[in-house]
Amino acid sequence: MYTRKVKIYAGFERFWHWTQAALIIFLALSGFEVHGAYTLFGYEKAVMWHDYAAWAFLVLIVFAIFWHITTGAWRQYIPTTHFIKAQLDYYLFGIFRNAPHPTKKTTLSKLNPLQRLTYFGLKILVIPVQVISGFLYLYYHQTEEVGLHFASLSGVAMLHTFGAFVLVAFIFMHIYLATTGTTWTSNIKAMITGWEEVELSMDEVREEVYPEVVKTSEMGYYFLDRDGYIRDVNAAWLRIYGYSSPEEVIGRHSSMTRKPEDAPALREMLERVLAGQKIESRIVDRVGRDGRPGRHLLTAHPVYISDKIVGMAGFIVDESKNIEKEAER
Amino acid sequence: MKKIFLISLLSLFWAGNLLAAREGQTILYKGKKELKAAHKPSTDHGKLKELQKSFNSPEEVTMACEGCHTERHREIMATNHWTWSRPAVIDGKEVDLGKKNIINNFCIALTSNEPRCTSCHIGYGWKDGNFDFTDKKKVDCLVCHDRTGTYKKFPTGAGYPVTKETLFMGKKKFFPPDYTKIAQNVGIPTRDNCGTCHFFGGGGNNVKHGDLEKALSKPSKDIDIHMAADGENMLCIDCHVTDKHNIKGKMYSVSSADTNHVYCESCHAAPVHANNVLEEHSERVACQTCHIPTYARANPTKMWWDWSKAGRFDKNGKGIIITNSKGEQDYNFMKGEFRWEKNVTPEYVWFNGTARHTLVTDTINPQKIVQLNRLKGSYADKHAKIWPVKVMRGKQIYDSEYKTLIIPKLFGKKESGAYWKNFDWNLAATRGMEAAGLPYSGHYGFVQTEMYWPLNHMVTSADKALTCTDCHSRNSRLAALTDFYLPGRDRSATLDMLGMILILLAIGGSITHGLIRLITKSK
Ligand code: HEM
Ligand code: HEM
């Protein structure tokens, strides 16, 4: 399995999340005391602090909305029906067999479809209902003065109480589901530190490996522009030619890599490639650093950008050692 | 971002604390200096020649007062203390309420019983229906202005003091007043002057109101924070502000309109609470509700009076009186069965300031408890607030055929047919209704009645006021007020059950799922 450490929760997200968690838990504790379920803070304090916490919650929500809009993070909560079944299957069966998570988490898509749906419901429905019913509750007399008539407080209170139950149930579910990450604690650690080991798909792995391979290959790599100037080479190319840094060659004309009598052959090959041909293999004699001679096998092909040939690239393998061996023989 | 949020959070709490810290309230009570000084009149009445003589009758004293305070009798005669009547337009009809006309469930009614009841009239000689309300000689100045504490009207003397030493009910001695001394020492009314009548309504200490009784003569702060002798020491008339002898305030037992009242707010200007939530409560909760947590804190008040049980005698023909271990009469052959209570938790009603009364001419439904007065209001009525009341309950005589209440003749000589001499309800009903000029069928029964007395006195210190959970809890004091949603008291049992099921499902589901993960050793 391929994984990578990713910064998955920004500082604000973590701050927002834990402040929200603390506020909701406190609102639930004080709220259910107001509801008459138990005595904890003392009724007067419960009411007073419930009201203060409610205001703090509202401020937090305003900040969070601002953050979500400006960062575009809101897109994550847009529900999708893709993979919902797969995700359900995973929680119901796969998880017990250590099957892989059916959906993967990235900075841009942290939430699996089930989470998306739950949080979407939470943010679009439960929390707004709770906040709106809460403020109607708080300003019940004033809403009447404004002419907003409710038959009695009971409707508002019932809605608010219902929302409170849903939120408390959510807390329990949510805390449990937070343990279903890669390990029991990986999600929770991520929400604290911001970093998480994220699984990579094979495509991602390939994508990642691809440029790396060219850079670190033992084959020399080169790229010339249409005029024959050297635009890129890799470490192996430099080694084969005897250079120590790319600055020494990049930007110079490719003719410096040949004896003067071989230069026309190079130009002719460039012209053929720019016309669309490929050179499968050819042995050439080069001129390395300080005029050091050598011989290598070369490939060449046109490089396209938006259907236009912008240059020639290819690989080289040193043949000097083989030649020396042959000579010895 | 974090900083901005923290700052806004902090400022929020700071603002909240500012609100909470808003201590102290504005009290618009200016009486302290002025009235306390005025307890001593500017004139030394002892130096007035007009009063340096002996008086043969209380009327002579009144005329001596009139000599200087001319025309004051006109003021007196315009007040309810004199007329005992309170005309009001109720539902488009002119109705005369007031002590003179009202029916209660203590001694029931004035008509035909005058000499007993009018011992508390501020006049002399209202002994029957023929009293002359225009005779200025009959105004009793002394009952309110006596500062010697020696002026006493005789309980059955139609408002007169005695002329020679007299025993009342074979127990209490009454002496003829020393009019010269009393006249030379007059002053403004103190709590004792008002208390002479208002503490003893219904025939004994604290019988009627429950929050007005002799302990208010020199109360401690625990009994009444305003009148506390060791505190503000306010007089009745500090709140019951008086203008031209018209004393502000009136009781819903005898009146119905919301006029001429004394309000807490007259002195305590809003905001009075440091806590906004409490301050908002005053929109729907009367100050009295929280600040009079209990009444009758010093002495018991009568809560139940069953006239139907009256008239029991022992085998020797002696009227039965049963006194309990606390010294309260549980039974009196003249009056029936009583129940007393001390430290009473008030009952609570929605009250918008107006009342309705059951008049003696009204038809009643004897199957139901008859409300002699009814305080109007409900949650839906935006002018109504929750008020603490003493509810006086009992049984009293009614006409079982005409379905009306009955005014019985209780007091009088044997020949007059008075119940307290003959113990014959039929005779008492006949004579009483005759005197009132009302029909009586000759058939009577006893019906249960209720009377509502809003509480205003015996305000405690703020730290003894009700707290949230006195009302906002499952065993709320407001259990009887069911026409609105009260947080902490009310809930939907169905919703709570659904909610608990939801939470248990969440917890149960998580635990089950987690256990399976553990057992199958998946991560
Ligand atoms: C009632 C309180 C809570 C609410 C409303 C809440 C809400 C949320 C939301 C909306 C997310 C998604 C955040 C995002 O990526 O944009 C989230 C993620 C998370 N929350 Fe909470 N949370 C609460 C309490 C908790 C608690 C108490 C814990 C830990 C013990 C917790 C742990 C986590 C973790 C670990 C994640 C990341 C989950 C994942 O990526 O799968 N939360 N929470
Ligand atoms: C901005 C959000 C909120 C506002 C403005 C708000 C406001 C209120 C108000 C005004 C009350 C009546 C008592 C009082 O004055 O304190 C109340 C009661 C209550 N609140 Fe909230 N609240 C909010 C959020 C929450 C949350 C998140 C929960 C639970 C998770 C909650 C649970 C409760 C409960 C259970 C009651 C008692 C309801 C009853 O029995 O009638 N509240 N809330």
Side-chain angles (χ1 to χ4, degrees), chain B residues 401-416:
Chain B
E401 203 173 311
Y402 293 165
K403 308 269 187 281
T404 60
L405 292 166
I406 284 178
I407 297 175
K409 178 155 183 68
L410 298 169
F411 174 80
K413 299 210 165 56
K414 194 168 172 74
E415 320 76 87
S416 71

Side-chain angles (χ1 to χ4, degrees), chain A residues 9 17-18 20-21 77 105 115 119 170-171 174-175 187:
Chain A
Y9 297 117
H17 174 266
W18 291 115
Q20 165 167 278
Y77 300 101
K105 205 155 156 180
Q115 285 170 323
Y119 295 146
F170 167 81
I171 295 175
H174 178 70
I175 293 176
N187 277 346

Side-chain angles (χ1 to χ4, degrees), chain A residues 15 34-35 43-44 52 55-56 63 90-91 95-96 98 137 140 142 144 157-158 165 168 176 179-180 182 184, chain B residues 4-5 9 12 16 275 280 379 468 472 474 485 487-488 492 495-496 499 503 510 513-514 516-517 522-523:
Chain A
F15 164 76
V34 174
H35 189 60
Y43 204 89
E44 187 172 346
Y52 288 155
W55 278 106
F63 274 76
Y90 171 73
Y91 281 130
I95 189 170
F96 306 121
N98 282 339
Y137 206 143
Y140 181 64
Q142 286 81 347
E144 282 195 332
M158 294 298 150
F165 277 120
V168 171
Y176 173 70
T179 69
T180 62
T182 317
W184 286 84
Chain B
I4 299 174
F5 178 72
L9 203 68
L12 217 92
N275 179 330
E280 277 201 354
Y379 174 72
C468 313
H472 293 277
R474 302 279 184 255
Y485 179 86
S492 154
L495 179 59
D496 274 16
I503 292 175
S510 300
H513 197 269
I516 300 177
R517 270 166 75 201
S522 42
K523 22 102 226 194

Side-chain angles (χ1 to χ4, degrees), chain B residues 251-483:
Chain B
M251 197 61 184
Y252 287 95
S253 47
V254 292
S255 62
S256 57
D258 188 11
T259 53
N260 200 33
H261 280 295
V262 174
Y263 301 101
C264 306
E265 292 87 342
S266 313
C267 291
H268 298 274
V272 290
H273 301 101
N275 179 330
N276 260 340
V277 176
L278 285 187
E279 188 68 13
E280 277 201 354
H281 275 68
S282 53
E283 277 184 39
R284 299 314 302 269
V285 181
C287 310
Q288 287 86 335
T289 297
C290 298
H291 293 279
I292 308 177
T294 55
Y295 62 96
R297 282 198 290 276
N299 294 295
T301 184
K302 199 172 276 187
M303 302 299 291
W304 170 259
W305 184 330
D306 182 354
W307 280 100
S308 71
K309 303 261 172 67
R312 277 164 50 199
F313 295 83
D314 63 16
K315 2 184 216 323
N316 307 323
K318 199 164 166 285
I320 294 175
I321 292 179
I322 302 170
T323 306
N324 68 21
S325 58
K326 284 176 273 180
E328 302 153 357
Q329 272 193 8
D330 285 344
Y331 182 81
N332 183 320
F333 69 106
M334 290 172 73
K335 299 177 175 177
E337 183 188 83
F338 304 137
R339 258 202 310 275
W340 299 79
E341 272 176 50
K342 214 179 129 170
N343 259 323
V344 195
T345 302
E347 293 179 45
Y348 299 92
V349 296
W350 285 108
F351 182 35
N352 65 13
T354 57
R356 286 290 175 271
H357 291 260
T358 302
L359 306 177
V360 66
T361 46
D362 288 343
T363 307
I364 59 166
N365 176 0
Q367 310 311 325
K368 285 210 186 129
I369 297 174
V370 177
Q371 292 177 318
L372 297 182
N373 72 337
R374 186 161 50 86
L375 305 182
K376 301 205 6 167
S378 67
Y379 174 72
D381 175 350
K382 295 296 167 217
H383 299 294
K385 294 185 181 187
I386 294 172
W387 270 79
V389 291
K390 171 188 171 179
V391 183
M392 176 64 189
R393 299 189 164 86
K395 282 187 180 174
Q396 67 195 85
I397 188 166
Y398 81 106
D399 189 317
S400 52
E401 203 173 311
Y402 293 165
K403 308 269 187 281
T404 60
L405 292 166
I406 284 178
I407 297 175
K409 178 155 183 68
L410 298 169
F411 174 80
K413 299 210 165 56
K414 194 168 172 74
E415 320 76 87
S416 71
Y419 180 78
W420 285 336
K421 287 279 153 40
N422 301 288
F423 296 94
D424 177 347
W425 278 120
N426 199 34
L427 183 59
T430 311
R431 291 292 155 80
M433 292 304 266
E434 215 171 78
L438 292 167
Y440 169 53
S441 69
H443 302 280
Y444 68 88
F446 288 87
V447 63
Q448 196 172 326
T449 60
E450 269 177 8
M451 230 184 147
Y452 290 77
W453 296 71
L455 298 168
N456 287 292
H457 309 98
M458 295 197 175
V459 170
T460 58
S461 54
D463 59 313
K464 299 212 174 58
L466 295 191
T467 59
C468 313
T469 43
D470 283 307
C471 300
H472 293 277
S473 62
R474 302 279 184 255
N475 53 352
S476 170
R477 282 192 179 211
L478 304 182
L481 300 183
T482 53
D483 61 345

